[in-house]
């Protein structure tokens, strides 16, 4: 039987599982922790609320269930709205990234308090293979160390698809996502796990601007 985070720990300590043996499975993925456990551990170590871990884990589950391969822009857009609705001040970023495995590529990510959150790097266009494990608040969830991908590198400039995303309004991009009645707004409700007022969210976030990050030159 699967033990829930808020269930009593099966070890008999009388504590909740999340405050007892859950973290004894390993802190990071290299230690044997599951992806979701590693994400939760990093969020906790960084001093943030469980609500961030909840939505990041929900989004990772959705990405895998729907095979959101290479969906960095969609993932970032959803994370921006979700984290904003939780009371945080995320920045939706777009730019070029350098990775030792994949080289240079256009990408999107979230910055929260200057720290990178990047789930899509774990499911790339290369048959879904990861460029990196999920990056949570600047930390590689596999190693537990600082992520070694370089964000905001200038190589050739943004391609046509990335340039288009920066040229349309945030609301237009959210609305236009295919195969969903209300575009990416529907995913926001799924990730927050509650009913949302899509019309109100459109008004609130429709004019959000992507931040083009280009701080380093090759």
């Amino acid at each position: 039987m699967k033990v829930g985070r808020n269930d009593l720990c099966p070890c008999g300590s009388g504590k909740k599982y999340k405050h007892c043996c859950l973290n004894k499975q390993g802190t990071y993925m290299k230690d044997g922790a599951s992806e979701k456990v590693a994400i939760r551990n990093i969020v906790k170590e960084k001093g943030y609320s469980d609500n961030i871990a909840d939505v990041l884990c929900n989004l990772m589950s959705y990405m895998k269930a729907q095979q959101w391969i290479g969906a960095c822009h969609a993932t970032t857009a959803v994370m921006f709205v979700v984290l904003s609705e939780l009371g945080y001040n995320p920045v939706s970023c777009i730019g070029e990234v350098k990775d030792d495995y994949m080289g240079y590529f256009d990408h999107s990510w979230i910055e929260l308090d200057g720290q990178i959150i990047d789930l899509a790097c774990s499911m790339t266009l290369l048959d879904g293979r990861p460029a990196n494990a999920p990056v949570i608040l600047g930390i590689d969830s596999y190693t537990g160390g600082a992520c070694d991908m370089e964000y905001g590198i200038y190589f050739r400039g943004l391609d046509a698809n990335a340039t288009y995303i920066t040229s349309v309004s945030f609301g237009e991009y959210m609305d236009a996502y295919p195969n969903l009645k209300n575009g990416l707004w529907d995913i926001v409700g799924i990730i927050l796990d509650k009913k949302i007022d899509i019309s109100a969210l459109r008004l609130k976030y429709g004019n959000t601007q992507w931040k083009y990050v280009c701080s380093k030159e090759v």
Side-chain angles (χ1 to χ4, degrees), residues 47-69:
Y48 289 91
S49 169
D50 279 349
N51 62 7
I52 291 185
D54 290 341
V55 296
L56 295 182
C57 288
N58 287 350
L59 185 51
M60 280 301 318
S61 294
Y62 183 88
M63 290 165 64
K64 290 183 176 182
Q66 299 298 319
Q67 284 296 290
W68 260 19
I69 292 171

Side-chain angles (χ1 to χ4, degrees), residues 152-170:
I153 289 287
Y154 179 81
F155 183 53
R156 294 176 179 168
L158 299 179
D159 65 15
N161 182 50
T163 299
Y164 168 76
I165 289 170
T166 63
S167 69
V168 300
S169 73
F170 190 83

Side-chain angles (χ1 to χ4, degrees), residues 9-218:
C9 188
C11 76
S13 67
K15 298 179 181 179
K16 288 185 177 181
Y17 181 50
K18 66 182 179 182
H19 295 311
C20 193
C21 289
L22 172 63
N23 291 333
K24 294 178 182 178
Q25 295 177 9
T27 302
Y28 308 110
M29 291 163 69
K30 70 177 177 60
D31 306 318
S34 70
E35 188 173 71
K36 288 183 179 180
V37 167
I39 289 172
R40 291 187 179 281
N41 287 338
I42 294 169
V43 170
K44 182 178 179 181
E45 288 173 355
K46 287 284 189 172
Y48 289 91
S49 169
D50 279 349
N51 62 7
I52 291 185
D54 290 341
V55 296
L56 295 182
C57 288
N58 287 350
L59 185 51
M60 280 301 318
S61 294
Y62 183 88
M63 290 165 64
K64 290 183 176 182
Q66 299 298 319
Q67 284 296 290
W68 260 19
I69 292 171
C72 62
H73 306 315
T75 302
T76 295
V78 170
M79 277 197 291
F80 172 81
V81 176
V82 167
L83 292 173
S84 296
E85 286 298 290
L86 291 177
Y88 299 98
N89 294 299
V91 179
S92 52
C93 300
I94 191 168
E96 293 176 280
V97 172
K98 179 186 177 184
D99 172 68
D100 290 340
Y101 172 61
M102 291 185 63
Y104 300 92
F105 56 97
D106 290 353
H107 200 50
S108 293
W109 63 93
I110 286 291
E111 288 187 6
L112 182 62
D113 300 329
Q115 302 168 102
I116 290 169
I117 300 177
D118 183 3
L119 304 183
C121 65
S122 66
M123 295 177 65
T124 73
L125 288 171
L126 292 179
D127 299 321
R129 287 176 289 175
N132 205 88
V135 178
I136 309 299
L137 299 165
I139 301 298
D140 182 324
S141 57
Y142 182 81
T143 66
C147 173
D148 59 8
M149 291 200 303
E150 297 181 66
Y151 291 79
I153 289 287
Y154 179 81
F155 183 53
R156 294 176 179 168
L158 299 179
D159 65 15
N161 182 50
T163 299
Y164 168 76
I165 289 170
T166 63
S167 69
V168 300
S169 73
F170 190 83
E172 286 179 288
Y173 176 72
M174 294 285 287
D175 285 338
Y177 201 81
N179 303 321
L180 295 165
K181 180 181 178 182
N182 296 295
L184 290 171
W185 304 109
D186 284 338
I187 310 306
V188 171
I190 291 171
I191 303 310
L192 285 172
D193 194 24
K194 68 177 185 179
K195 186 176 181 179
I196 60 173
D197 185 337
I198 292 175
S199 296
L201 293 182
R202 283 192 179 107
L203 287 173
K204 189 174 182 180
Y205 300 111
N207 293 320
T208 297
Q209 297 294 313
W210 293 80
K211 179 183 178 182
Y212 175 39
V213 181
C214 181
S215 57
K216 304 174 184 177
E217 187 167 346
V218 178

